[in-house]
Amino acid sequence: MGNDVFSFGDLNVYGAPDKLSSSNNEFESFDGGNKGKAGGFYGVEDWGETGGIDSLPSDYGFYGDASMGASGFSFFKQDHHHQLQQQQQQQQQEQLSFIEYGLLNGVSFNAQSPLIQACFDEIAELGGINNGVYEDIGEAKKGKQYPGLSSLGLLNNYGNGFKRLNGERKSDDDITVSDTKDEDRKLSTEEVMRVAGEMFLKSCGQTIDGISGIDHPFGLSFSGFSDRETRDIELAALLLAAAEKVGYQQYESASRLLKQCDYMSSKTGNPVQRVVYYFSEALREKIERETGRSSSKSLKWKPLCNYDTEMTALNPTVLACHGAFPFGQVSQFAGIQAIVENVAEANKVHIIDLAIKNGIQWTILIQALASRQHEYRLELLKITAVATEAKDLIDGTGKRLSSFAQSLGVPFAFKVVMVSDMLDLKEDFFELDAEETIVAYAAFAFRSMLVAPNRIENIMKVLRVMNPCLMVVTEVEANHNSPIFVNRFIEVLFYFSAYFDCIATCMEQDSKNREILESVFFGDGIRNMVAAEGTDRKVRNVKFDVWRAFFVRYGMEEAELSMSSKYQADLILKTFACGTCCTLDMNGKCLLVGWKGTPMLSISVWKFL
């Protein structure tokens, strides 16, 4: 059953901005629907009563909004009359022009920066490995003025490729689209940001000594966009203008622009308004950190939500999102398929999970191994979870998995290796059997170690001694680790714009799960990536090309994802109503899962040479 689909039935850690930007066109498009071996596919359509996410034991149940009272998050209902008044006030404010607020008077936009060459020289110098630890260039060059958004090719790359509904722009002065018969089509959240970026660049006229002479950033006319889209585009451009001012350390001007964003954005509005709301908060915190001042909306730099703990604790919102969004299940099924193919004839299988979290991915493997029991008698499936915290929660994960395996007649053992620091991890901590086939699994395990890559190196040394037949790696496909503020801001903005668009498609507007996801998980992450620097910036993601360089340096070889794994990914997408909005692309041998063309996750498999 090697390729059958299982039944259920010197390195730049910050990423090179030119080669690794989101506009990279080197990816090969994956044409879904590959059928693979004739008669060899069972897939999700044959889960019936015994397989799939919906058949998980009650311990893995998905909780709707009615059960959110036990989630530990509180919500306060506003008086209905007061809510209506707020909505009416917001609508009136949106109808006013930007000029009427008087907040843009005297605000100029830098169309060209004399520091542009220095900016790119600095990017090119990033990533030199010094004693196993990467220098945070942002800290090392503290006090150096960053170039503005309008001077960077990165924003230009995002804007230039935009065509709306296959329409064309009429002239350099107008942002327009041709007439379309599809009246229901509308801009996605990320497309709004792309148009706003293009508008922002066009609004920046010729400069003298790097200073723009224009008085107002919205001198462009629009045609082909609805009133709602026009307001969203202008709001997004205001956010970009505020970010540019922050990049130039012009905090008073930035604060005025953010005040305008406050009038037009809301955490309960449409996706664009919600994105701007959370990014405005992040920019405001950035200003407070840089100036030492507090505003009336100060967030007091509250600590990040412990994402890993919430993922391990069967948080109801996390489970609801796992069922609503396709990304997690696509990556899990494709990765587990690769594992099944490599342990097809093994009597003993040992999984080393470097970030097990709630362990829901292993219910897929357990079902796959149970379905082959009549062909190959499995003596033992052993899962060892490696962690530095939350042992009680991980023990709970083990109990749930043990119960699930027992219900399907799969011999199972669960072990936990706890270390205070991944630098302390040793092969002696693992219970190994010479007859077992070992697989390493790392889903979002390495990104938290980017600030100290010697931890990753130690993990690789330990794994090499154990010699796994395969390592499956899933990571966020985005560059959120640039030390240059404006670059990082743009990348984070476009990534989360795509995610907020996905949320709007897959979740109800009034869903409490949506509010928790955006305000607690995404809101915290956005603030940390945008506002924090140095060791305070905990959330760091890099693109797959950076991970590829990492793993090659550690003596690993990228393996091919089989057609069966790709088929599994495509098959899972077809089970989601929003599946047609997802994209599957290949970057070499790596599978990229995206939303409307924006890469979100990468899945790759590796072997030690």
Side-chain angles (χ1 to χ4, degrees), residues 201-212:
L201 292 173
K202 285 179 177 294
S203 72
C204 300
Q206 295 298 319
T207 64
I208 300 176
D209 295 329
I211 303 299
S212 171

Side-chain angles (χ1 to χ4, degrees), residues 417-480:
V417 171
M418 291 294 299
V419 290
S420 58
D421 191 306
M422 284 298 177
L423 288 173
D424 301 327
L425 188 67
K426 299 178 181 179
E427 59 271 16
D428 296 341
F429 297 167
F430 297 85
E431 297 182 14
L432 304 177
D433 185 332
E435 297 179 358
E436 65 189 12
T437 299
I438 299 175
V439 174
Y441 189 85
F444 313 108
F446 296 131
R447 60 180 182 156
S448 62
M449 305 179 203
L450 280 171
V451 290
N454 49 346
R455 291 181 172 86
I456 304 177
E457 186 169 3
N458 185 60
I459 291 173
M460 292 302 170
K461 289 179 180 178
V462 172
L463 290 178
R464 175 175 288 281
V465 173
M466 294 190 286
N467 193 28
C469 69
L470 190 76
M471 182 171 77
V472 178
V473 178
T474 300
E475 282 293 346
V476 171
E477 179 60 12
N479 179 23
H480 299 157

